[in-house]
Each structure stands twice: as C-alpha cells, then as structure tokens.
Amino acid sequence: MTYLLGLRMDGRDALVVGGGRVAQRRVPVLLESGARVTLVAPQVTATLEDLADSGRITWHRRGFRAGDVAGGGLGSFWLVHAATDSAETNAAVAAEAEGERVWCVRADDRHASAAWTPATGGAAGVTVGVVANGDPRRAAGLRDAVVEGLADGSLDARRGRERNRGVALVGGGPGDPGLITVRGRQLLAQADVVVVDRLAPNSLLESLPADVEIVDAAKIPYGRSMTQDDINDALVRHARAGRFVVRLKGGDPFLFGRGGEEALACAQAGVPVTVVPGITSALAAPAGAGIPVTHRGVAQDVHVVSGHVPPGDPRSTVDWPALARAGGTVVALMAVERIEAIAAALMEHGRAPQTPVALVQEATMPTQRTVRATLATAGRAVRESEVRPPTVIVIGEVVDVAGELDILHMGRAESGPGGASADTAVGDPPEGNRIL
C-alpha cells in the first residue's frame, strides 16, 4: 500500500543520477514542476546536454560519488532519482538517500525503491497521477483513460470548487474534429455555454452534457448568421451571468476569424478572455492535399491573404502587385467567389498564366477534394468543377511538388480545364490522406 502525495517542487532542489533515456524522461517533468535540477552523469543524451548548455539544469560530468546526496558539495536535495544503467550505482544512491531521509526513486528496481513516480497527465485543470503497485505500463494505461475522459467531457470536470470564468476563444482547427488542440478540447468539456460557427468541428458538441447551452452563430456565407455585434453581446452577457463561455471557431481565432474583435469586446466589458490557438486551414488544407507551402529551391515565403473583397476594392488592404512580384506561395482564404479577379491581378503584375493553382475543398474532412488548375484556368475550374466554400486556394510552384511527391491522392484523377488535373474524393479517403 502506498501513501499518495503531491510534491510541490517549485524552487526546491532535485538530484538525478544518470544521463540516459530514463533521465531524459524525468528531468523535463521536474523542470515543469519548478524544481532546480542537478544532474550527475559522465555522459548524457543530446536533449539533456542542451538543457545544461542553456543553463536550465546543472550538470556534473562525472559518475556518482559517495557523499553526493549527503552534502558532498552538490547541495541539499528534497528528491533523488537513481536512473543509471548500473544496479550497483542505483543501490548506492538509494542507500545514501535513505540514510539522509530523502525520498529516492529507483528506476531499475521498483521493489527496492522507496518511492514510485506516478504516471501523470493533465486535463481540464486536473493533474492525474496513477500508481499501479509500481507497474509503469499499467499505470500509464489507466492514466490515459482518465485524462481522455476529462478531455472529452465523459468525466465531468465542471463540478470543482474553482470553475473557469469568462470567455475562451477556441480555435477548432480546419474541420476534422480530431484536429482540435488538447487545450481546446479540455475547455470545451467545461463550458456552460458554447457559441459556435458552422466551420467549427460541430460533431464535438454531441459529447457535451445536456445542460450546456449551444448558441448557433451560423456564419453562412451570404446566408443566415448572427451579426458580429450580436455575437460579442452574447459572449459578454453569458459571462457576466457567471457562465463559462467557449467561443468555438473554425481554424485559428486570430487568423481571419475576428477573434481579435471578440477579445476586445470582452476586455472592454471587463470579462476575462483566454485564447486557445487552432490549426489554421491556411496551412492544414495544403498539407492535407500533399502540398508543402514551402519547399527548398521552390518557395521560401508564404503569404496568407483574405479574398473576401476583390483586388481593386477600396476595402482591400492586400498589396496584390507586391504579391505578384514576390513569387512565393500565396494562400487565399474566403476567395472562391473572387478567384478570377485574384488571378487576373496576379497575372497583370507579373505572375505567369501557367502558375499552378490548387483549390482544396472541405480540407481534412472525408469529403475533401482537390482541384488543380493554373492562374489562367482557375476561374473556369471553379465553375466546371462546382467548387464551393469552404475552399482554400494555393497559388505557386509548390502545387506541382505535390504531384512529384505523389503522397496524398484523393481518389480518382480527372482532367481539369486546360489539361489541369482534378483529384476528387470518392467516399472516405484512404487513411494516408488524412492529417491525424
């Protein structure tokens, strides 16, 4: 039987003897807890050497010596880890720690160890530690099950004494519900109110408790949706009523997601705001289609632009002539309706009509498809292939790299306008076609 205890190591000294793979796992956890770590080992892994070179740990480049735990000039320790590949050395470290009444974790022999390191994890503001009679594999499995339950809401984390307050702006990722961040999933599981867009991973809402209020902001292009002022008002109103509000958005909230406006509205109303970045479709959609937005010798720069207003419109702040001259990759969001005007502007200012274009529709979803064209044929490709939002447009020579790599075909290849190819998804794409 063990007595479980959470050690607060912030500002306290810990000794790790050994510099191999076990030490490499233990040291970062100690650093995250705030401990001051001293490492004793003649050789260490590259990761531990980097921590020493950066000054984050103190490394004594030698083997363990008698007296290292018992005030041999290294300091006074609260916790010791014996993690060498020598049972004799580990036994000596443990014996000295026992004599000094310092808890020692012995990595090689759980039965001889005075303390066991639990399998730890965190979710929903909860730290989980599992000790399974010193069996690390079983403890890790149980830990993972509990953490997953906290993260997905199947274990209710909303009943604690200290509840989350205010508003969390959560980026839900490009579409696939598995691509929301761990932090985003944790906060969603604790929400009292969720204000959600149509491009957010809406399937995640099904796992929420029945008493969570869902506010549908829609955001349907040219269709029914809440105004931004109404969204801002809903966030502030529910937060002021003492509810924890999650604003679940597609992609990243601060990349053409108007997250800055929502954060500002909350701040002006005195409502605390947490921002959780998301995987933006500007990068995920090209990756899902096998297109590296940068590639050695092809493109060293990427320009992400909004196409919600066309080139030449007084409301546009995009320098299209500069983009044409730059020659790098251009990723255009919200641009399907404006692709002909965008292509014309780029060609007018120097981009070749043969410049490759990829239109990635419903990226990372089972219905994802990629239509390939050129600047000269992009508008016709949109019409003939009936490309519709949400679609991310990639312009540049990197589009051809995807064909050379030949790693993420999305079903059958068809001939597109001007000889361009169209990769069209048929049912669920093969597992290799998904970003997981």
Side-chain angles (χ1 to χ4, degrees), residues 244-272:
F244 177 52
V245 184
V246 168
R247 174 70 170 105
L248 184 61
K249 309 167 76 71
D252 182 272
F254 278 10
L255 183 66
F256 303 140
R258 306 190 75 169
E261 298 173 49
E262 293 168 357
L264 183 60
C266 292
Q268 290 174 340
V271 173

Side-chain angles (χ1 to χ4, degrees), residues 249 252-259 282 304-308 331-334:
K249 309 167 76 71
D252 182 272
F254 278 10
L255 183 66
F256 303 140
R258 306 190 75 169
V304 181
V305 299
S306 168
H308 74 287
V331 178
L333 307 183
M334 301 175 287

Side-chain angles (χ1 to χ4, degrees), residues 197-294:
D197 282 353
R198 73 178 186 95
L199 292 180
N202 280 263
S203 60
L204 295 177
L205 303 179
E206 185 178 358
S207 64
L208 298 180
D211 62 339
V212 176
E213 182 176 349
I214 308 297
V215 178
D216 183 6
K219 291 290 187 180
I220 300 173
Y222 314 108
R224 183 168 56 86
S225 63
M226 291 177 66
T227 68
Q228 189 61 53
D229 286 342
D230 287 341
I231 293 172
N232 295 348
D233 177 70
L235 298 178
V236 171
R237 177 165 39 84
H238 284 293
R240 281 179 166 172
R243 304 180 183 98
F244 177 52
V245 184
V246 168
R247 174 70 170 105
L248 184 61
K249 309 167 76 71
D252 182 272
F254 278 10
L255 183 66
F256 303 140
R258 306 190 75 169
E261 298 173 49
E262 293 168 357
L264 183 60
C266 292
Q268 290 174 340
V271 173
V273 179
T274 300
V275 178
V276 181
I279 300 174
T280 173
S281 60
L283 301 179
I291 301 170
V293 292
T294 62

Side-chain angles (χ1 to χ4, degrees), residues 1-363:
M1 192 67 179
T2 58
Y3 182 80
L4 294 180
L5 187 69
L7 296 181
R8 301 176 65 181
M9 292 296 296
D10 189 22
R12 293 182 168 91
D13 291 286
L15 173 65
V16 177
V17 182
R21 291 181 292 112
V22 174
Q24 183 173 310
R25 292 199 304 268
R26 300 284 172 83
V27 168
V29 179
L30 288 168
L31 291 175
E32 287 177 9
S33 74
R36 294 190 296 259
V37 178
T38 297
L39 183 66
V40 174
Q43 295 180 327
V44 299
T45 66
T47 298
L48 292 173
E49 184 174 3
D50 180 65
L51 290 174
D53 290 343
S54 64
R56 296 191 63 195
I57 65 175
T58 300
W59 177 24
H60 294 272
R61 308 183 186 207
R62 59 170 176 78
F64 176 76
R65 297 173 184 168
D68 279 348
V69 179
L74 299 185
S76 178
F77 300 105
W78 295 74
L79 180 66
V80 175
H81 283 265
T84 76
D85 57 5
S86 167
E88 182 179 355
T89 301
N90 290 341
V93 173
E96 190 166 299
E98 185 75 14
E100 294 297 311
R101 296 186 177 182
V102 176
W103 291 106
C104 178
V105 179
R106 185 170 168 177
D108 64 328
D109 189 344
R110 62 189 175 104
H111 300 292
S113 184
W116 293 327
T117 300
T120 60
V126 176
T127 299
V128 176
V130 179
V131 174
N133 197 29
D135 184 341
R137 184 169 297 180
R138 186 181 182 209
L142 292 169
R143 182 260 335 261
D144 291 343
V146 175
V147 169
E148 183 178 352
L150 288 170
D152 65 19
S154 57
L155 292 179
D156 193 349
R158 298 187 297 149
R159 307 302 180 200
R161 278 190 241 168
E162 297 183 13
R163 300 180 61 188
N164 285 323
R165 297 176 56 250
V167 172
L169 304 179
V170 175
D176 185 331
L179 293 178
I180 190 173
T181 64
V182 172
R183 181 60 173 156
R185 187 71 179 270
Q186 291 169 356
L187 292 179
L188 181 63
Q190 299 173 65
D192 299 307
V193 178
V194 179
V195 181
V196 63
D197 282 353
R198 73 178 186 95
L199 292 180
N202 280 263
S203 60
L204 295 177
L205 303 179
E206 185 178 358
S207 64
L208 298 180
D211 62 339
V212 176
E213 182 176 349
I214 308 297
V215 178
D216 183 6
K219 291 290 187 180
I220 300 173
Y222 314 108
R224 183 168 56 86
S225 63
M226 291 177 66
T227 68
Q228 189 61 53
D229 286 342
D230 287 341
I231 293 172
N232 295 348
D233 177 70
L235 298 178
V236 171
R237 177 165 39 84
H238 284 293
R240 281 179 166 172
R243 304 180 183 98
F244 177 52
V245 184
V246 168
R247 174 70 170 105
L248 184 61
K249 309 167 76 71
D252 182 272
F254 278 10
L255 183 66
F256 303 140
R258 306 190 75 169
E261 298 173 49
E262 293 168 357
L264 183 60
C266 292
Q268 290 174 340
V271 173
V273 179
T274 300
V275 178
V276 181
I279 300 174
T280 173
S281 60
L283 301 179
I291 301 170
V293 292
T294 62
H295 193 71
R296 183 185 296 201
V298 178
Q300 299 179 14
D301 54 329
V302 183
H303 307 269
V304 181
V305 299
S306 168
H308 74 287
V309 293
D313 190 294
R315 296 168 295 168
S316 176
T317 61
V318 179
D319 190 341
W320 293 103
L323 283 182
R325 293 191 300 269
T329 304
V330 176
V331 178
L333 307 183
M334 301 175 287
V336 170
E337 302 289 334
R338 313 282 193 272
I339 183 57
E340 285 187 289
I342 290 171
L346 291 173
M347 289 188 289
E348 177 185 351
H349 295 286
R351 283 285 178 110
Q354 295 77 28
T355 301
V357 175
L359 303 109
V360 186
Q361 180 178 310
E362 297 177 1

